[in-house]
Amino acid sequence: MNIPELLKGATICSSKGGWLLISKGNKCFFFYNPFTRATIQFPDLPDDKCVVYSVMSFSSVPTSSDCSVFAISAFFTEEVLILSIKRGDESWTINMLDNVYVPPNRKDVSFKLSLNNPVFCQGAFYCLDCNGTLGVYDLNGFSWEILVKVPPPNCNFIYKRFLVECGGELLSVYLCNFGEWVRVFRLGMPESVWMEVKHLGKHMLCISTASCISALAPNCRMENKIYFPRLHNGEILYYSLETGTYNSLSSSSPADFYDSQST
């Protein structure tokens, strides 16, 4: 695929539905569809807020009238900087909100953003912090809430954490420190507790720092598997929840997360 001139020097911030959210420089953002070559421009970030966001995401494809873009900063301690814009707006909404919470049986701590993309689910953007705590930004009230009553899953030696929406529900994916296991949890409602998922049914997950998506698997061989942007013997690495092992498409022998290369 030939890379058009407007993408040179640009960075992919997020993706959804075949669209890429692209940043070029510190404040210029636009959507690009690599399949149709369509481009949709959004207003630039304000000059004084152009370098402080950490991760960005968007709610729906930019051709939709309800598309919103969300950016959050990890560079503050007691406050969090959140920027958002809806399609049709001429400028970004900027909010500096309280970022301190009290976990059960602990002193006050700050929400420390885990650097993976926020997830839009049921009308709000959800973020995961480094301790597994959830933060949620409501687009309607421009409010930021840290869900202290939703304790993180009980996992030790965590290497990475990811969020993904699947069938209207929120899933968290946890990787062990040495890649030995992958565990998946579903946020139960209204109990607001994480419940471990042993089987994804006909779904598959594609997990990366830039974007996490779920989809109905195109065939039964791809069901109940989690795919990573890593290669093992030149093939995409995946983890099977059924067997509890890593594999690649061309190999029937188990692979190891650290015996693979980042794409």
Side-chain angles (χ1 to χ4, degrees):
M1 188 178 287
N2 294 326
I3 299 177
E5 186 68 29
L6 83 159
L7 293 186
K8 292 182 178 179
T11 301
I12 298 174
C13 298
S14 185
S15 66
K16 185 191 295 284
W19 287 86
L20 307 177
L21 176 58
I22 303 287
S23 68
K24 197 166 186 178
N26 289 325
K27 64 176 184 175
C28 176
F29 294 90
F30 60 92
F31 286 98
Y32 177 73
N33 189 317
F35 305 104
T36 65
R37 301 297 181 99
T39 302
I40 297 177
Q41 194 77 36
F42 263 55
D44 290 351
L45 281 176
D47 289 337
D48 59 337
K49 301 293 189 300
C50 63
V51 295
V52 294
Y53 74 90
S54 300
V55 290
M56 302 186 79
S57 187
F58 56 103
S59 61
S60 56
V61 294
T63 52
S64 173
S65 60
D66 62 354
C67 176
S68 296
V69 180
F70 169 83
I72 183 170
S73 167
F75 298 109
F76 300 90
T77 301
E78 296 184 355
E79 293 180 309
V80 59
L81 178 68
I82 293 176
L83 305 96
S84 61
I85 188 169
K86 293 183 178 180
R87 186 178 176 187
D89 291 350
E90 296 182 355
S91 60
W92 292 73
T93 296
I94 303 169
N95 289 296
M96 188 73 81
L97 303 169
D98 184 53
N99 195 39
V100 176
Y101 67 102
V102 184
N105 304 319
R106 292 179 59 185
K107 64 179 182 179
D108 294 9
V109 296
S110 296
F111 188 91
K112 296 180 180 178
L113 183 68
S114 179
L115 295 181
N116 54 74
N117 272 55
V119 172
F120 186 77
C121 185
Q122 300 182 4
F125 283 98
Y126 287 82
C127 303
L128 199 63
D129 90 338
C130 295
N131 298 312
T133 302
L134 276 177
V136 55
Y137 182 72
D138 183 3
L139 283 172
N140 294 320
F142 303 115
S143 61
W144 170 248
E145 182 183 3
I146 300 168
L147 304 182
V148 294
K149 294 183 179 180
V150 184
N154 185 20
C155 295
N156 296 322
F157 308 110
I158 302 302
Y159 169 59
K160 283 188 177 181
R161 303 168 175 84
F162 300 93
L163 279 179
V164 60
E165 183 272 336
C166 182
E169 296 182 309
L170 203 60
L171 302 182
S172 61
V173 181
Y174 282 59
L175 273 68
C176 175
N177 238 359
F178 297 101
E180 294 178 356
W181 50 255
V182 180
R183 296 176 67 182
V184 180
F185 297 85
R186 176 175 60 87
L187 185 62
M189 301 298 286
E191 295 86 356
S192 296
V193 294
W194 290 106
M195 298 177 291
E196 188 156 10
V197 174
K198 297 295 186 179
H199 203 284
L200 297 171
K202 295 183 178 299
H203 281 86
M204 54 184 278
L205 303 181
C206 298
I207 300 297
S208 74
T209 301
S211 185
C212 296
I213 63 171
S214 66
L216 288 173
N219 58 64
C220 61
R221 290 183 59 202
M222 301 180 72
E223 294 175 358
N224 198 33
K225 294 179 174 62
I226 302 172
Y227 292 83
F228 297 92
R230 302 184 68 88
L231 298 178
H232 176 74
N233 294 332
E235 297 287 345
I236 291 292
L237 183 77
Y238 68 84
Y239 183 87
S240 170
L241 284 179
E242 182 176 356
T243 63
T245 59
Y246 291 94
N247 285 278
S248 60
L249 294 178
S250 62
S251 173
S252 59
S253 60
D256 185 84
F257 187 83
Y258 284 95
D259 186 28
S260 61
Q261 296 178 332
S262 177
T263 58

